[in-house]
Amino acid sequence: MDISSFYNLSSGAVQKAAEASSASKLSESTGEFGSLFNKALESLNTTNAYLSDAENEEIKWALGETENTHELTIALQKASTALQYTVAVRDKALEAYREIMQMQI
């Protein structure tokens, strides 16, 4: 419900409701950034897990504990794809940061 049209009314209750609405919008935007940041951390943790799994599969194959090259290939491809995605996201974030820093106020 948008109560912005009631800002010019002299009622204290309406003004308090409008201020509360503005404050809740501010906290929601902070929450959105927090959830975005948490998702980025989860993505990094997933990438690290894939890299660790690939390394473990390489060690198992090198030690002769497994002869299944299929699992090794899948683990290596997952790690490679996750790392490429993470690097692409990092590059876009840095590009956006640089663009924001070059803005004139």
Side-chain angles (χ1 to χ4, degrees):
M1 179 175 165
D2 187 18
I3 59 172
S4 61
S5 59
F6 296 121
Y7 278 102
N8 295 330
L9 294 177
S10 61
S11 170
V14 172
Q15 290 176 352
K16 286 181 185 178
E19 290 170 2
S21 175
S22 297
S24 69
K25 287 180 184 177
L26 179 63
S27 67
E28 286 175 2
S29 65
T30 305
E32 290 173 2
F33 177 76
S35 67
L36 178 66
F37 184 72
N38 288 335
K39 287 179 184 179
L41 287 178
E42 288 175 20
S43 178
L44 285 174
N45 290 335
T46 302
T47 300
N48 287 336
Y50 284 150
L51 290 169
S52 178
D53 290 344
E55 187 176 324
N56 290 340
E57 287 295 325
E58 285 179 330
I59 291 170
K60 285 180 188 177
W61 188 78
L63 293 174
E65 293 178 6
T66 183
E67 294 181 9
N68 191 352
T69 58
H70 182 69
E71 289 180 12
L72 174 63
T73 305
I74 289 173
L76 289 171
Q77 188 61 41
K78 279 183 179 180
S80 175
T81 303
L83 189 59
Q84 288 174 356
Y85 176 74
T86 302
V87 168
V89 170
R90 182 209 58 186
D91 291 345
K92 285 293 184 180
L94 285 174
E95 182 182 328
Y97 174 76
R98 286 184 189 125
E99 189 173 320
I100 288 171
M101 293 306 294
Q102 290 178 356
M103 290 177 131
Q104 293 182 1
I105 299 176

